[in-house]
Amino acid sequence: MDLPQTKPIVGSLSDLEHRLGIKRGDLAVLLQCRAGLYRPFKIPKKQHPYPGKLRRLKASEPVKYRQIDDPVKQLKDIQRRILATVLSRVELPAYMFGAVSGRTLLGHAKEHVPNQSSIVVRMDISSYYPNITCEHVYYVWNVVLGCPPPIARLLTELTTFDWHLPQGAPTSPAIANIFLASIYAPICLASEQAGLTITTWVDDLIFSGVAAHTVMETVRATLAAHGFKMAPDKREIFGPKDQKNITGTRLGRFEVRVTHKKMSELRAAIFRLAIGALEPGELEKYRRNLSARIAHIATIHKGDAAKVRRHAIKSSVILK
């Protein structure tokens, strides 16, 4: 990704009107009531979904919540147009996979399979979206994408809420990726010098190679310089003999596999069906959910999905 853009991605208000199909006056009227353009709500973060010892242990822990800043339909439609006609035209670096069209979780993990017997480091940016401020977003529009100040200000107002990047807006993942790419050069340089493979999945940063641990301070310092912190409880260093789980997958010797934990959870779900531990009203929804989970792991490794299906048949469990 060349930074900054030599040509503005949106050069004038007329250009923006054409791309969005809405007049500037209508945008100004819409933004006069910015406080009412979002309906924030909180959802509990994902917990262990199946019965067993781990679930019982976690039941005693306080529930953690994630805030979703949900735009109203009129604003969300405009943000979808911004994504489709402006942000989707930005070419992102090859190391970025999360929320990038045509790039998948499987492709992301495959990048690190050649280093499976080496060291893998996983780092996570703490509260990434809430810490991307209006200033950061304006920087993306004005400096990175070259929009003139009036356009950059307007696009910043259309894509931020309560002074930060809203989690729940269609434009947020793309803006987050562009901003991260704009500050990632020191990390790329340090990784290249150390002969590492690097990838990102939104706020997950993965490094693999014999010297993967050596870039951790560069990552911390680079992000700290822009107001971000690493989540200490999500930092992981996998040694040569460790099982390596990244973004919901496991690095096998020659290919990407499903994590042992996920396989165990699915077997537990099948067992729950087999022993009749569900109320009759729950059965259909539970079977649909289980089938969807198996279909998802089939996109990672067909053989692992086949094992789960065989286990269901052996347990006399009928799936949807």
Side-chain angles (χ1 to χ4, degrees):
M1 182 177 179
D2 296 327
L3 303 174
Q5 293 269 118
T6 54
K7 181 181 178 182
I9 198 163
V10 180
S12 67
L13 284 170
S14 297
D15 184 10
L16 184 62
E17 286 177 329
H18 175 72
R19 290 172 188 252
L20 302 185
I22 184 169
K23 296 295 184 183
R24 68 192 74 177
D26 294 332
L27 289 174
V29 171
L30 178 70
L31 290 171
Q32 285 176 358
C33 52
R34 288 187 70 192
L37 294 178
Y38 288 85
R39 297 164 298 192
F41 62 92
K42 293 183 178 181
I43 58 172
K45 291 186 176 180
K46 186 179 178 182
Q47 292 182 305
H48 199 272
Y50 299 114
K53 182 178 180 182
L54 183 60
R55 187 183 185 191
R56 289 196 298 273
L57 288 173
K58 287 194 173 185
S60 62
E61 296 178 0
V63 178
K64 296 181 179 179
Y65 290 90
R66 184 190 310 279
Q67 177 155 323
I68 304 298
D69 301 310
D70 188 33
V72 298
K73 184 179 185 303
Q74 186 180 5
L75 179 59
K76 188 176 285 189
D77 287 344
I78 292 170
Q79 289 171 340
R80 288 190 179 116
R81 290 177 214 158
I82 293 172
L83 177 63
T85 64
V86 183
L87 293 171
S88 64
R89 301 184 182 187
V90 178
E91 186 176 352
L92 291 166
Y95 61 76
M96 284 194 155
F97 284 83
V100 180
S101 179
R103 302 182 194 176
T104 65
L105 197 67
L106 180 61
H108 169 248
K110 278 183 176 179
E111 293 290 306
H112 299 280
V113 169
N115 293 327
Q116 190 274 341
S117 61
S118 187
I119 295 173
V120 174
V121 171
R122 174 182 173 266
M123 303 179 76
D124 188 280
I125 305 173
S126 181
S127 301
Y128 187 36
Y129 281 20
N131 284 318
I132 298 179
T133 65
C134 288
E135 184 179 356
H136 292 135
V137 176
Y138 180 83
Y139 172 82
V140 167
W141 289 117
N142 179 235
V143 178
V144 181
L145 302 181
C147 298
I151 309 297
R153 281 195 295 271
L154 179 56
L155 286 167
T156 299
E157 290 179 347
L158 289 169
T159 55
T160 58
F161 169 66
D162 198 20
W163 309 105
H164 68 268
L165 194 66
Q167 187 154 324
T171 45
S172 290
I175 292 172
N177 275 340
I178 295 168
F179 179 74
L180 184 60
S182 75
I183 66 172
Y184 218 61
I187 299 170
C188 290
L189 178 60
S191 299
E192 184 180 358
Q193 291 173 340
L196 307 181
T197 297
I198 66 172
T199 60
T200 69
W201 188 273
V202 191
D203 56 357
D204 262 359
L205 316 177
I206 312 294
F207 306 86
S208 66
V210 292
H213 59 289
T214 64
V215 299
M216 295 175 69
E217 176 55 26
T218 301
V219 175
R220 187 206 64 76
T222 299
L223 291 166
H226 296 276
F228 300 97
K229 294 181 179 179
M230 308 310 299
D233 57 329
K234 294 184 179 179
R235 183 183 64 188
E236 297 177 288
I237 303 174
F238 303 103
K241 295 184 179 180
D242 292 334
Q243 178 181 297
K244 297 172 176 66
N245 295 338
I246 59 171
T247 51
T249 65
R250 174 171 61 89
L251 301 185
R253 188 175 178 185
F254 302 110
E255 58 187 344
V256 180
R257 302 290 301 271
V258 178
T259 64
H260 293 311
K261 178 183 176 183
K262 191 170 291 186
M263 294 290 284
S264 177
E265 288 175 349
L266 289 168
R267 287 192 292 269
I270 290 168
F271 177 74
R272 194 178 186 196
L273 280 170
I275 64 172
L278 294 163
E279 297 294 329
E282 298 178 297
L283 284 173
E284 185 177 353
K285 182 179 178 181
Y286 196 86
R287 284 197 177 101
R288 282 201 307 267
N289 178 269
L290 181 55
S291 295
R293 288 176 178 271
I294 296 172
H296 169 68
I297 71 168
T299 66
I300 299 171
H301 194 275
K302 294 189 186 315
D304 286 340
K307 284 182 183 178
V308 176
R309 292 192 185 100
R310 286 197 297 271
H311 182 71
I313 292 169
K314 188 176 178 180
S315 302
S316 301
V317 167
I318 301 172
L319 300 173
K320 284 290 181 179

